[in-house]
Amino acid sequence: MIDDLLSSARLEPLAPEPGASAAAWEEVGRRRRRRTLRTQLAACVGVVVLVMVGLLPSLDGGGRVAELDVAGRETNADRVVESPALLEAESEDDSPVDAGRGSRGAEPGSGGRAPFESEVAPAPAQSRPGASAPSTGRPKPPVERTRYETVYIGCLEWCLTPSVVREGDVFVLTLDLCVAVGARARRFSYATTQEVDMWVATSEPSPETLWTWSLGQQFAAQEHHLDISAGECVRWIAKWDGTDERGEPLPAGNYRLFTKSLAEQVAPNSTTETTFQIP
């Protein structure tokens, strides 16, 4: 490109002045060619300098080379913070940790890295509503299972319906599992001898469990099935004396009965509830 610009072939021919000698014509032409070449050379050098300045890396305020990313943004190498090694506190109190700790607010001992799988605290298990009963409970009455037929079922496939009825000094707690009329027969599977659970809790939005039927009982691992035809219901019945796990009578007021079916086919809609009153 420079050779093309400096080539004398690109210069326009000079016209001799009237009455000038041949030597004068040669001198004038030589000077004009020289001036034109200098102008073209200066223009080429200026273009090269501008290109080189644009391609050179920029310098920050301290004279250090600053790298540029593809968008032209400055990414100084001294701004990159490497993940420090795992640190240990010097004592059990709030004393300073080792100087190798990162300065971006990392928790003590974390070292600014992602924790290993074994260090991640497991997510708390989702407790059932009102699961705050004592760890041990009094002996519970057995749950009886009966069958009956019905034509009034407010569901399309199957329904779980709890209820509480007072009979003298006891409360009859029931859970009905019904297959709708016109639906196909269903088979429900259980992993142990326990098929249902029931617990009584307070009526607050965050209920406190007062009595649980399964608390303190043992259930054998025994897989079995329960077949229910269309328009048929299976009812589980437990009689509760109105006391808590310590045998103390509950005061008059409103309460909630939670019932749960342990059949595999009804999860996750296996817990239902109803409200009742102790007069």
Side-chain angles (χ1 to χ4, degrees):
M1 175 180 178
I2 297 177
D3 293 338
D4 294 339
L5 292 174
L6 297 179
S7 174
S8 59
R10 299 181 61 86
L11 299 178
E12 296 181 1
L14 300 176
E17 297 180 1
S21 62
W25 184 88
E26 289 290 342
E27 182 64 24
V28 172
R30 189 182 305 108
R31 291 178 181 178
R32 295 183 64 180
R33 285 194 298 271
R34 224 184 269 131
R35 184 169 57 251
T36 303
L37 289 173
R38 284 197 300 267
T39 303
Q40 293 177 346
L41 181 60
C44 292
V45 172
V47 172
V48 172
V49 170
L50 291 177
V51 173
M52 293 182 64
V53 170
L55 295 178
L56 284 176
S58 61
L59 300 178
D60 59 10
R64 293 164 296 189
V65 175
E67 297 178 358
L68 301 178
D69 61 9
V70 293
R73 293 169 298 196
E74 182 178 335
T75 56
N76 287 333
D78 58 351
R79 296 183 183 177
V80 179
V81 180
E82 296 182 357
S83 298
L86 182 64
L87 306 176
E88 296 181 357
E90 294 180 358
S91 61
E92 296 180 357
D93 54 11
D94 296 334
S95 58
V97 296
D98 186 76
R101 174 183 171 184
S103 59
R104 294 184 178 267
E107 294 296 331
S110 65
R113 58 170 178 81
F116 293 108
E117 183 178 357
S118 58
E119 298 175 354
V120 178
Q126 296 294 329
S127 59
R128 68 187 184 187
S132 58
S135 57
T136 58
R138 300 183 298 118
K140 304 300 192 305
V143 167
E144 300 178 357
R145 189 178 72 187
T146 61
R147 288 177 180 264
Y148 67 94
E149 293 184 359
T150 181
V151 293
Y152 303 103
I153 303 177
C155 59
L156 297 177
E157 296 293 336
W158 52 266
C159 300
L160 281 170
T161 307
S163 63
V164 180
V165 178
R166 185 174 182 180
E167 294 183 356
D169 295 334
V170 299
F171 294 85
V172 180
L173 314 179
T174 64
L175 174 61
D176 292 354
L177 175 57
C178 303
V179 175
V181 176
R184 61 183 178 86
R186 292 299 185 100
R187 165 168 287 189
F188 300 93
S189 304
Y190 303 89
T192 68
T193 54
Q194 182 187 6
E195 296 176 344
V196 298
D197 198 5
M198 305 177 182
W199 59 97
V200 176
T202 56
S203 59
E204 287 83 2
S206 298
E208 176 188 358
T209 300
L210 304 172
W211 179 89
T212 304
W213 176 79
S214 63
L215 193 61
Q217 301 196 61
Q218 299 293 330
F219 303 96
Q222 180 180 339
E223 295 185 2
H224 63 285
H225 306 286
L226 182 61
D227 295 323
I228 304 179
S229 304
E232 185 180 27
C233 299
V234 173
R235 171 173 291 179
W236 289 267
I237 305 172
K239 294 184 178 181
W240 172 55
D241 59 2
T243 61
D244 60 14
E245 289 294 341
R246 298 174 181 85
E248 299 292 335
L250 296 182
N254 296 323
Y255 295 89
R256 300 166 70 179
L257 170 67
F258 291 91
T259 60
K260 179 181 179 65
S261 173
L262 301 183
E264 298 177 1
Q265 289 75 14
V266 301
N269 302 318
S270 58
T271 301
T272 55
E273 67 168 295
T274 187
T275 58
F276 68 98
Q277 187 178 51
I278 296 180

